[in-house]
Amino acid sequence: MFNAALIALSAAALFGATTPLAKILLGALSPFMVAGLFYLGSGIGLACCILIRRLRQNTRERGHESHIPPAEVPWLLGAIVAGGIAGPALLMLGLSSTPAATSSLLLNLEGVLTAAIAWIVFRENVDVQVFLGMVAIVAGGLLLSWQGAAGVPTGALLIVGACLCWAIDNNLTRKVSTHDAMTIACIKGLAAGCVNLSIALLLGAHLPATAKLAAALFTGFAGYGVSLVLFVVALRHLGTARTGAYFSVAPLFGVALSLAIWPEAPPVAFWLAALFMAAGVWLHIRERHEHVHTHEALEHNHPHTHDEHHRHAHPFPYDGDEPHTHPHRHAPITHSHAHYPDIHHRHSH
C-alpha cells in the first residue's frame, strides 16, 4: 500500500499549496471568482489531458474504458454540489479574514470529518488508533480556532464548513472511485468552475488581467485538478477514512509555503496545534488492519494488475501489459492479509 499512500500524500501536497496562493489572489479577486477560476482551470486542464490520452489510445483500449452508470450519477452530482460549489466558496470567504498559516492547519479537519462520515454513515471500518488520531487533530483545530472570550472567529467557522463540505464530497466520490479518475475530476472541475464563475460575474466581479487569469487557472489545474485525480485513485486503494487521514498532511505543505511567503513568528498556540495534528496524522499512518475476510462475487471495471484479487481470464488477446482496464469478475474467496477498505474490501466486521 506504500504506492497508494504516496499518491495520497502527493494529492495533499498539491492541494495544500493552493491555500496560500489563493490568499494572494484574494487581494484583487472575489472569493467566488477565485474558486471559479481554480475549478475551471482544473476542468479545462484535465479535459486537454483526456483528449491527448484518447488520441494515443487504440480501439481496444477505448472500448474498455470505464463509464459512470446512470445509477451512480447522483453520487457524482452530490459530490459536485458539496465539494465543487459550497466547499470552495466557504473556503475563499474564510480565507479573506483568516491568516494563511492558520487556515492551512484548520484544513486538517477535512480528514477527520471525512473519516467520521465514512465510519458513522457509510459503516467503513475505523480502528481505535484512527479514532485517537482524529481526536488529536480536532484538538489542534480547536487550539487554532478559539480566541478566548472572543469565541471562534467567523472566518475559522467558514473554513470548518468548507471542510465538512469536502468530507461529504470525499465520501460521495468514493461511490464512483472505480471509474476513470481523470474523467471524474474533469466533470467536477467544469461543473463547479462554471457555477462559481457565474455567481462571481452576477455579483459584479470582472475577469482579471491575462497574467493573473493564467496564474489562477494553472494553480487550479495543479492544486484542484491533478490533486483530485490522485485523491480518487487513493480512494480506490485505501478507502475514504484512510485517504482522508493521509490527506490531512495537506495543511503542513500549506503552512510551509505560507511562512515562506509571509515570514513571521507563529504564536505558541500555533505550534501546539501543529504538534497535536502531527500526532494525529502519525497515528493514522501507523494503523494496520488484518483479519480473515470473505470476498463476495463482484463484477466491475477499473485499472488493475494481476494480484491475488485479480485471477481471471481475458475475453480478448492479452499482451501482458499492466496495469490495464477492462470489465472483470471476482470469484468468491476467503483469506487473511493486511488490507484497507478499498474497492475490494468493503465488507462488514
Side-chain angles (χ1 to χ4, degrees), residues 115-273:
I117 293 173
W119 186 18
I120 297 170
V121 179
F122 292 97
R123 302 300 181 183
E124 182 176 302
N125 177 67
V126 178
D127 293 340
V128 173
Q129 188 164 295
V130 173
F131 175 76
L132 293 176
M134 287 191 282
V135 171
I137 294 174
V138 168
L142 290 175
L143 277 173
L144 282 176
S145 303
W146 191 256
Q147 295 184 344
V152 180
T154 302
L157 288 176
L158 289 171
I159 293 173
V160 172
C163 290
L164 177 60
C165 289
W166 278 318
I168 295 171
D169 172 16
N170 294 338
N171 279 276
L172 296 182
T173 300
R174 185 205 185 199
K175 293 289 188 177
V176 295
S177 62
T178 58
H179 307 292
D180 182 60
M182 198 176 295
T183 299
I184 292 171
C186 178
I187 294 172
K188 292 175 71 173
L190 291 175
C194 290
V195 171
N196 281 285
L197 191 60
S198 297
I199 294 174
L201 294 174
L202 288 173
L203 293 176
H206 300 282
L207 290 173
T210 302
K212 186 157 286 190
L213 176 64
L217 292 174
F218 181 78
T219 300
F221 169 63
Y224 280 25
V226 178
S227 175
L228 181 55
V229 171
L230 296 174
F231 186 85
V232 173
V233 173
L235 277 177
R236 187 183 300 158
H237 295 286
L238 298 173
T240 312
R242 277 74 175 175
T243 302
Y246 283 110
F247 202 72
S248 297
V249 177
L252 299 180
F253 295 99
V255 168
L257 185 56
S258 65
L259 292 179
I261 297 173
W262 300 284
E264 61 177 326
V268 174
F270 176 90
W271 293 111
L272 289 175

Side-chain angles (χ1 to χ4, degrees), residues 55-148:
L55 291 174
R56 298 178 60 183
Q57 287 178 327
N58 57 41
T59 303
R60 181 177 65 81
E61 289 173 330
R62 292 178 185 175
H64 291 155
E65 286 182 344
S66 178
H67 301 284
I68 300 174
E72 296 182 11
V73 170
W75 298 113
L76 181 58
L77 292 177
I80 291 172
V81 172
I85 299 173
L90 289 173
L91 175 64
M92 298 306 163
L93 291 170
L95 283 176
S96 63
S97 61
T98 307
T102 299
S103 302
S104 294
L105 280 180
L106 275 174
L107 289 175
N108 260 312
L109 295 176
E110 179 188 344
V112 176
L113 296 171
T114 295
I117 293 173
W119 186 18
I120 297 170
V121 179
F122 292 97
R123 302 300 181 183
E124 182 176 302
N125 177 67
V126 178
D127 293 340
V128 173
Q129 188 164 295
V130 173
F131 175 76
L132 293 176
M134 287 191 282
V135 171
I137 294 174
V138 168
L142 290 175
L143 277 173
L144 282 176
S145 303
W146 191 256
Q147 295 184 344

Side-chain angles (χ1 to χ4, degrees), residues 248-334:
S248 297
V249 177
L252 299 180
F253 295 99
V255 168
L257 185 56
S258 65
L259 292 179
I261 297 173
W262 300 284
E264 61 177 326
V268 174
F270 176 90
W271 293 111
L272 289 175
L275 182 62
F276 272 110
M277 290 182 168
V281 171
W282 178 73
L283 286 170
H284 283 164
I285 292 174
R286 286 186 70 252
E287 186 258 349
R288 180 180 176 86
H289 184 70
E290 181 173 356
H291 63 90
V292 175
H293 55 278
T294 299
H295 296 268
E296 303 295 338
L298 174 66
E299 292 187 21
H300 57 182
N301 185 6
H302 66 92
H304 62 275
T305 59
H306 289 160
D307 56 21
E308 61 180 317
H309 297 100
H310 295 89
R311 307 297 188 191
H312 52 251
H314 296 79
F316 55 85
Y318 175 51
D319 55 12
D321 286 343
E322 294 184 349
H324 63 169
T325 304
H326 64 89
H328 56 277
R329 182 181 187 277
H330 295 270
I333 182 176
T334 299

